[in-house]
């Protein structure tokens, strides 16, 4: 949500209305037609506030709070409730039903307020017509926004722009007696709030930087500090909660808001925390310098600053009117779905209630065997967050989290409270959180001094825990439900992405990108090629790209995790230990300290302290198991002093199973593709021989993804001194069976030709070999010839064209003619009567041989054909053999917009012209 508030400013008038007229509040007669409001809107805007809300359900509650805070800050408490109800309905229409962002604009005028709610889905029009409009039954569940506008607003309407639909309403302030701002009824004395005889209202002013610039006498009396002791110091130095001391979170943000009311604590001069109720108002002086004025009273006296008035306590134990149970003040104050906020407020109030130095709250796992640290104060919470401790930590009632326990001195029973090991805490009181007899968590308060707590404090804390347990459990169940829904969506999306690729490298990248930063801060994937291979670091990703190389360098210098097939995540401590040692060594080096044991640590490793910090947290390893074999490990890590949640680890385990299968499929596909490509390459000639006096060029294109060889083939090879054999053919069909006949034909041609057989004899024997294949045989079109360069610069060719497209001869004068006659194809009949024809290529002549993938190139009903090929060849006079082949291929590709669906081969041979001396 983004907001902006300009008190007292004179902004532009509200958005101009479009051609559609606005609605006016209906007359009491329900059957009367709605009419157009043509009265001029000449009001003066004295302040405005705007906010934008995302299209998610929680935005409705945020919008209500925004409008409520804004109107209360303007002093419009009388119309707050109506404004909040109308805003809630209109924002719900935008973010829930229309599914778009909602822009809320509050305009303050002299007589009231105008609120506009705009969405970005103008197609969902609200019917506006001059006739009576049926808004439906008031009992129905949805569509009540306009009915409420008609019932509550003084004026309302709908405005349209090309990109937005804007629904607005105006609420007028009720008439008040002159001089009265707000008023309440006269009450009997016994109903008035109870306060001390002397109510002190501390006035504290905070400057732009958050430092105290004014400190009243009442502030000195309440907190024990003289003005000169605190002036110039940040208020956050004195604030005890709701934020962790020293961080400034919470109070620092509240000081920047235009108006804020709430509770927090101020640590007095005697060290004790004084709960206060505060009212903040952001102002600016005549020079424009902003500051915040804070009015502070003791928390139980908040009736002085708060409206409506609080009724006095009726508990006889609190006859003085003070609320001795601080939990009354904050139970339910965080949003119902804000579990972390509720838990943090709980531990801070528990600590202050028992005047402790630290407090912690742990939630039980589903099986109630472990407790997970979810909130703490006064402890290294980042290090402990999401860490786990057993419910039964030791024998006896004090070793179980199911019963209240008081420890006078932890040094006498080391390890009694594992969470407090090494924290310096001596005494602790812990109580269980139970709902319907089931353990849901544990709440504890600790102090640095021994003997601080007794059974009386345990009873007070237990009472508070019982009060908060149900709210905590409700919020926890809501969080778990959201996590489960999010996990299902995450796994569905991950499965779709992983199933969409068979490329190994892309699968590795997807695995890492899906885990960072959703599940972990950094990720490393190790792969194992086979059973005898060691794990290999294949991919590293960190949410900060600048740290990737450093992490990869550090991980490459330590032994990889063991490839254990046991399912589930296991902690891998080596990266964290190495990172801590590296950070220590770097720090000592910066101080000029060398030698000793630190000097012996992995010399040569030099990642930065940032890299060491990135690897310094918890690291877990999940095996990638596919087809009962460990094919790798997925390593997830957190930065320094952070732990993984169990729900995240369970989600990562589900992801690892899907990723392992996808990675193994990619591996199998890559292996089979490599084998297929290797076999296909063996069907092509390794290289073309150099022929003196003849230029030769070949262009080959195999159709189909991943194919390097199809049913078309070519060959050019030496037969004997001065003689060369050439061939170009096309096997019926595509795929492995066609490629097998291709290999048979190419190798048989070479063998038979080198036996000294003539062209017809070679093809007749090849025909017999194809027929011997039986059901695997395929018919074959083949152009075969023998070429002998002549001393006069020409070349003599003897060719046999067995069912193949005829070779074309291009003469120097640009004429094109067929260089052979058609004869029967191979692989069909047993007895073939073939003959060879002699062709002489003079200097400058070109012989072009192609497969039918070239001549049968189609675009709709058009086909290139023999005539089209001849026309293209006519334009190639004077070109080299390579240029001729390239021009033919370019013409074929441009003939149609679609990719070629058939294999294509082009063989061009040219006798060059003699060079002039």
């Amino acid at each position: 949500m983004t907001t902006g508030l300009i008190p007292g400013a004179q902004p532009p008038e509200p958005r101009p209305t479009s051609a559609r007229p606005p609605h006016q509040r209906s007359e009491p007669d329900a059957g009367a037609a709605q009419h157009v409001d043509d009265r001029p809107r000449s009001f003066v805007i004295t302040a405005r506030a705007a906010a934008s809300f995302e299209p998610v359900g929680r935005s409705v509650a945020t919008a209500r709070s925004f409008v409520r805070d804004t109107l209360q800050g303007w002093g419009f408490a009388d119309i707050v409730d109506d404004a909040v109800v109308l805003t809630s309905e209109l924002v719900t229409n935008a973010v829930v039903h229309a599914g778009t962002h909602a822009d809320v604009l509050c305009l303050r005028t002299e007589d009231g307020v105008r609120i506009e709610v705009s969405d970005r889905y103008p197609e969902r029009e609200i019917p506006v017509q001059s006739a009576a409009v049926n808004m439906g039954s008031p009992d129905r569940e949805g569509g009540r926004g306009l009915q409420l506008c008609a019932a509550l607003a003084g004026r309302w309407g709908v405005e349209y722009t090309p990109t937005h639909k804007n629904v607005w309403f105006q609420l007028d302030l009720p008439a008040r007696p002159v001089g009265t701002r707000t008023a309440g009824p006269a009450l009997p004395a016994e109903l008035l709030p109870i306060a001390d005889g002397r109510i002190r209202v501390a006035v504290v002013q905070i400057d732009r930087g958050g430092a105290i610039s004014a400190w009243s006498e009442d502030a000195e009396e309440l907190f024990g500090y003289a003005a000169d002791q605190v002036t110039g110091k940040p208020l956050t130095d004195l604030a005890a909660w709701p934020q962790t001391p020293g961080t400034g979170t919470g109070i620092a943000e509240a000081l920047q808001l235009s108006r804020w009311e709430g509770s927090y604590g101020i640590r007095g001069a005697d060290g004790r925390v004084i709960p206060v109720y505060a009212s903040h108002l952001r102002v600016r002086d005549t020079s424009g310098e902003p500051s915040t004025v804070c009015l502070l009273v003791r928390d139980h006296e908040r009736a002085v600053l708060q409206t409506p008035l609080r009724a006095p306590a009726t508990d006889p134990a609190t006859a003085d009117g003070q609320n001795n149970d601080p939990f009354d003040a904050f139970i339910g104050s965080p949003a119902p779905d804000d579990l972390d906020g509720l838990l943090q407020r709980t531990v801070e109030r528990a600590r202050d209630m028992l005047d402790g130095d630290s407090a912690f709250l742990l939630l039980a796992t589903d099986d109630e065997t472990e407790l997970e640290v979810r909130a703490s104060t006064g402890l290294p919470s980042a290090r402990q967050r999401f860490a786990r401790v057993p419910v039964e930590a030791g024998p006896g009632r004090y070793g179980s989290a199911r019963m209240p326990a008081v420890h006078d001195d932890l040094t006498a029973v080391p390890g009694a409270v594992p969470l407090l090991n090494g924290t310096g805490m001596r005494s602790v009181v812990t109580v269980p959180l139970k709902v319907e007899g089931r353990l849901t968590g544990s709440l504890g308060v600790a102090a640095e001094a021994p003997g601080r707590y007794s059974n009386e404090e345990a009873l007070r804390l237990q009472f508070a825990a019982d009060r908060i347990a149900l709210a905590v459990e409700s919020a926890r169940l809501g969080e778990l439900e959201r996590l489960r829904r999010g996990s299902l969506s995450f796994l569905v999306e991950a499965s779709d992405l992983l199933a969409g690729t068979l490329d190994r490298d892309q699968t590795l990248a997807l695995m890492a990108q899906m885990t960072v930063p959703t599940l972990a801060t950094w990720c490393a994937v190790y792969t194992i090629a086979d059973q005898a291979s060691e794990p290999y670091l294949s991919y590293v990703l960190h949410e900060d790209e600048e740290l990737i190389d450093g992490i990869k360098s550090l991980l490459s210098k330590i032994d990889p995790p063991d490839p254990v097939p046991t399912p589930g995540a296991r902690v891998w401590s080596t990266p964290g230990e190495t990172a801590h040692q590296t950070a220590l060594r770097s720090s000592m080096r910066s101080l000029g300290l060398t030698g000793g044991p630190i000097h012996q640590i992995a010399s040569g490793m030099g990642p930065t302290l940032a890299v060491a910090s990135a690897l310094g947290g918890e690291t877990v390893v999940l095996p990638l198991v596919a087809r009962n074999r460990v094919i790798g490990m997925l390593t997830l890590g957190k930065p320094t002093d952070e732990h993984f949640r169990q729900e995240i680890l369970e989600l990562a385990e589900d992801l690892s199973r899907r990723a392992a299968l996808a990675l193994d499929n990619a591996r199998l596909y890559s292996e089979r593709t490599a084998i297929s490509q290797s076999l296909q390459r063996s069907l092509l000639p390794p290289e073309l021989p150099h022929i003196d006096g003849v230029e030769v060029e070949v262009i080959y294109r195999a159709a189909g993804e991943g194919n390097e060889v199809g049913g078309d083939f070519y060959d050019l090879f030496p037969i004997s001194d001065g003689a060369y054999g050439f061939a170009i053919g096309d096997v019926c069909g595509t795929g492995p069976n066609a490629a097998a006949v291709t290999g048979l034909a190419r190798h048989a041609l070479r063998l038979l030709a080198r036996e000294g057989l003539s062209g017809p004899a070679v093809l007749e024997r090849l025909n017999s070999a194809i027929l011997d294949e039986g059901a695997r045989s395929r018919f074959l079109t083949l152009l075969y010839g023998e070429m002998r360069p002549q001393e006069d610069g020409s070349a003599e060719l003897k060719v046999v064209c067995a069912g193949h497209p005829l070779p074309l001869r291009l003469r120097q004068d640009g004429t094109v003619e067929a260089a052979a006659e058609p004869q029967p194809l191979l692989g069909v009949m047993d007895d073939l009567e073939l003959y060879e024809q002699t062709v002489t290529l003079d200097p400058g002549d070109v012989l072009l041989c192609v497969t039918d993938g070239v001549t049968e190139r189609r675009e709709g009903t058009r086909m290139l054909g023999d005539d089209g090929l001849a026309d293209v060849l006519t334009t190639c006079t004077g070109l080299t053999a390579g240029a001729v082949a390239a021009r033919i291929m370019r013409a074929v590709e441009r003939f149609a917009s679609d990719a070629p669906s058939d294999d294509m081969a082009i063989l061009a041979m040219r006798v060059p012209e003699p060079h002039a001396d």
Side-chain angles (χ1 to χ4, degrees):
M1 181 188 78
T2 57
T3 64
L5 179 65
I6 313 174
Q10 186 67 32
E13 291 295 320
R15 303 182 182 94
T17 59
S18 66
R20 293 185 178 270
H23 279 281
Q24 184 186 1
R25 182 174 178 178
S26 301
E27 298 297 329
D29 184 1
Q34 290 181 315
H35 58 277
V36 176
D37 177 16
D38 55 0
R39 293 177 301 170
R41 282 179 276 166
S42 58
F43 52 85
V44 177
I45 299 173
T46 58
R48 62 184 293 157
S52 180
F53 303 94
E54 298 179 354
V56 293
R58 63 176 181 271
S59 293
V60 179
T62 310
R64 288 197 295 263
S65 299
F66 163 70
V67 172
R68 182 180 297 278
D69 292 343
T70 299
L71 268 59
Q72 286 181 342
W74 289 347
F76 289 176
D78 294 339
I79 57 176
V80 164
D81 293 337
D82 288 350
V84 168
V85 169
L86 295 179
T87 302
S88 179
E89 289 292 330
L90 298 180
V91 173
T92 300
N93 290 341
V95 303
V96 176
H97 301 307
T100 76
H101 283 72
D103 299 324
V104 179
L105 175 64
C106 300
L107 302 175
R108 182 179 69 185
T109 68
E110 296 175 347
D111 300 323
V113 64
R114 171 184 167 120
I115 297 179
E116 302 178 2
V117 178
S118 299
D119 66 50
R120 306 174 189 180
Y121 195 68
E123 291 85 354
R124 294 176 58 94
E125 295 186 358
I126 299 173
V128 180
Q129 42 190 316
S130 57
V133 178
N134 180 16
M135 293 189 179
S137 169
D139 297 328
R140 65 178 178 173
E141 194 168 324
R144 298 175 299 179
L146 300 184
Q147 290 179 309
L148 289 174
C149 284
L152 300 179
R155 299 168 61 215
W156 66 280
V158 186
E159 302 171 352
Y160 291 90
T161 70
T163 58
H164 289 73
K165 179 178 87 271
N166 179 40
V167 182
W168 61 270
F169 61 87
Q170 182 169 331
L171 298 173
D172 297 328
L173 290 175
R176 297 172 180 169
V178 176
T180 301
R181 173 99 177 164
T182 60
L187 294 175
E190 61 271 12
L191 296 181
L192 296 175
I194 298 176
D196 291 344
R198 173 73 165 90
I199 296 177
R200 299 188 181 275
V201 180
V203 180
V204 181
Q205 190 162 6
I206 311 300
D207 63 18
R208 180 197 294 266
I212 299 172
S213 59
W215 185 263
S216 69
E217 293 182 1
D218 277 357
E220 294 183 10
E221 292 292 334
L222 278 175
F223 308 121
Y225 300 103
D228 57 355
Q229 291 180 280
V230 296
T231 301
K233 293 184 178 180
L235 179 63
T236 53
D237 287 354
L238 306 181
W241 42 261
Q243 83 287 349
T244 302
T247 64
T249 305
I251 293 297
E253 295 173 350
L255 292 173
Q256 299 301 315
L257 300 179
S258 60
R259 187 178 186 276
W260 184 89
E261 286 189 19
S263 299
Y264 51 86
I266 297 294
R267 193 171 296 276
D270 59 358
R272 300 182 65 86
V273 173
I274 303 170
V276 298
Y277 190 79
S279 175
H280 296 177
L281 180 65
R282 191 78 164 161
V283 298
R284 57 174 175 158
D285 59 21
T286 54
S287 62
E289 181 67 18
S291 62
T292 301
V293 177
C294 306
L295 303 182
L296 310 177
V297 296
R298 284 176 291 192
D299 192 52
H300 64 274
E301 295 174 344
R302 67 174 60 186
V304 175
L305 299 180
Q306 190 183 49
T307 300
L309 302 177
R310 296 196 315 170
T314 57
D315 189 345
T318 58
D320 60 351
Q322 296 190 13
N323 181 9
N324 291 333
D325 182 9
F327 282 80
D328 281 344
F330 75 92
I331 290 178
S333 58
D337 59 349
D338 183 13
L339 176 61
D340 290 336
L342 178 61
L343 299 183
Q344 192 62 35
R345 293 286 297 274
T346 299
V347 295
E348 289 164 353
R349 290 297 178 92
R351 180 196 62 186
D352 294 325
M353 183 178 71
L354 299 187
D355 196 21
D357 297 309
S358 65
F360 52 88
L361 193 151
L362 300 84
L363 294 184
T365 55
D366 292 337
D367 57 5
E368 297 184 30
T369 60
E370 290 184 303
L371 296 167
E372 186 177 65
V373 180
R374 291 301 302 271
S376 64
T377 183
L379 296 174
S381 56
R383 174 173 63 88
Q384 304 291 350
R385 186 166 169 78
F386 299 122
R388 291 196 167 197
V389 297
V391 170
E392 308 293 340
R397 63 167 291 183
Y398 294 112
S400 173
R402 302 181 187 277
M403 299 292 291
V406 177
H407 293 275
D408 291 332
D409 194 348
L410 290 178
T411 58
V413 280
V417 183
L419 181 63
L420 300 180
N421 291 344
T423 61
M425 299 298 160
R426 298 282 298 275
S427 56
V428 61
V429 53
T430 61
V431 297
L433 274 70
K434 292 184 177 182
V435 176
E436 297 180 351
R438 182 173 61 86
L439 179 69
T440 61
S442 177
L443 177 63
V445 177
E448 296 178 352
R452 283 283 298 274
Y453 303 115
S454 64
N455 289 340
E456 181 181 351
E457 282 81 7
L459 289 175
R460 291 182 61 201
L461 190 61
Q462 183 67 70
F463 177 74
D466 293 341
R467 298 283 300 279
I468 199 69
L470 186 59
V472 169
E473 180 67 2
S474 176
R476 186 183 75 89
L477 292 177
E479 180 189 68
L480 288 177
E481 181 61 25
R482 289 190 298 275
L483 283 174
R484 291 189 180 100
R485 289 198 301 266
S487 298
L488 289 175
S489 300
F490 173 79
L491 291 175
V492 168
E493 182 179 358
S495 298
D496 289 342
L497 290 173
L498 291 171
T501 179
L502 287 173
D503 182 82
R504 176 182 176 276
D505 293 337
Q506 188 174 2
T507 301
L508 290 172
L510 284 174
M511 290 170 57
Q513 291 166 6
M514 285 185 293
T515 57
V516 177
T518 305
L519 305 182
T521 306
W522 63 271
C523 167
V525 183
Y526 291 84
T527 56
I528 303 175
D530 51 58
Q531 298 284 5
S533 300
E534 292 294 325
Y536 173 75
L537 182 61
S538 299
Y539 201 91
V540 174
L541 184 66
H542 190 279
E543 61 184 9
D544 184 353
E545 294 183 358
E546 295 182 356
L547 300 178
I548 293 177
D549 291 338
I551 294 175
K552 187 182 299 183
S553 174
L554 192 148
L555 291 178
S556 64
K557 291 178 173 62
I558 62 178
D559 294 333
D562 295 330
V564 178
T566 306
R570 55 191 174 90
V571 176
W572 184 30
S573 59
T574 305
E577 294 172 355
T578 305
H580 286 304
Q581 293 172 354
T582 303
L584 180 58
R585 188 185 66 253
S586 299
S587 299
M588 294 188 68
R589 185 184 299 114
S590 66
L591 296 174
L593 303 176
T594 56
I598 303 301
H599 184 67
Q600 307 299 325
I601 298 175
S603 60
M605 291 173 46
T608 63
L609 289 176
V611 172
S613 176
L615 292 178
E618 187 175 49
T619 303
V620 296
V621 178
L622 297 103
L624 299 174
V625 181
R627 298 174 177 89
N628 298 322
R629 186 175 74 87
V630 180
I631 63 171
M633 285 89 70
L634 178 64
T635 303
L636 306 179
K638 287 283 191 179
T640 299
D641 296 340
E642 286 197 25
H643 293 262
F644 283 97
R645 296 187 60 174
Q646 184 63 25
E647 292 85 357
I648 296 298
L649 295 180
E650 292 172 356
L651 181 58
E653 185 178 356
D654 286 339
L655 175 64
S656 68
R657 287 195 291 267
R658 291 164 169 78
L661 188 58
L663 183 61
D664 199 46
N665 289 339
R667 178 188 63 83
L668 293 175
Y669 178 79
S670 299
E671 291 178 355
R672 293 178 182 179
T673 300
I675 294 172
S676 174
Q677 292 176 348
S678 178
L679 292 175
Q680 289 183 67
R681 294 189 194 102
S682 69
L683 302 178
L684 296 176
E687 59 182 11
L688 297 177
H690 175 74
I691 304 175
D692 292 334
V694 179
E695 298 175 358
V696 180
E697 182 65 29
V698 174
I699 296 179
Y700 184 84
R701 297 284 190 274
E705 184 179 357
N707 292 334
E708 294 190 12
V709 176
D712 292 5
F713 70 96
Y714 68 92
D715 203 359
L716 180 64
F717 54 91
I719 299 176
S720 59
D721 293 340
Y724 295 86
F726 64 91
I728 185 169
D730 185 1
V731 178
C732 174
T734 59
N737 291 333
V741 178
T742 297
L744 171 65
R746 193 177 74 81
H747 292 294
L749 282 176
R750 287 194 172 211
L751 179 63
L752 295 172
R754 287 169 177 169
E755 290 295 323
L757 300 176
S758 64
V762 169
L763 268 59
E764 289 168 0
R765 285 166 174 74
L766 176 59
N767 180 66
S768 299
I770 295 174
L771 292 175
D772 288 343
E773 292 292 307
R776 296 182 299 176
S777 66
R778 299 290 183 95
F779 66 80
L780 167 68
T781 69
L782 180 65
L783 172 65
Y784 173 75
E786 295 180 2
M787 176 176 57
R788 291 180 181 273
Q790 304 297 310
E791 294 182 357
D792 61 356
S794 64
E796 183 183 76
L797 285 72
K798 295 180 179 181
V799 297
V800 180
C801 187
H804 198 76
L806 300 180
L808 299 180
R809 177 182 181 181
L810 172 64
R811 295 184 180 273
Q812 277 189 301
D813 58 3
T815 59
V816 175
E817 60 185 6
E821 297 177 355
Q823 299 183 58
L825 51 76
L826 307 181
V828 179
M829 299 179 293
D830 290 329
D831 298 327
L832 291 179
E833 294 184 2
L834 303 175
Y835 58 92
E836 63 184 9
Q837 297 173 271
T838 302
V839 179
T840 300
L841 294 182
D842 296 325
D845 289 354
V846 176
L847 184 72
L848 177 67
C849 310
V850 300
T851 58
D852 60 4
V854 174
T855 57
E856 294 180 1
R857 176 75 161 144
R858 295 179 181 273
E859 172 71 16
T861 58
R862 299 186 307 120
M863 186 173 72
L864 180 63
D866 296 333
D867 294 339
L869 179 63
D871 292 340
V872 178
L873 184 59
T874 302
T875 66
C876 298
T877 304
L879 299 180
T880 63
V884 171
R887 179 170 291 186
I888 297 297
M889 179 55 74
R890 187 162 56 249
V892 172
E893 291 174 342
R894 292 178 177 177
F895 186 80
S897 58
D898 296 336
S901 59
D902 196 5
D903 305 326
M904 294 187 294
I906 300 174
L907 172 62
M909 294 180 290
R910 178 178 181 269
V911 178
E913 299 176 88
H915 296 285
D917 293 335

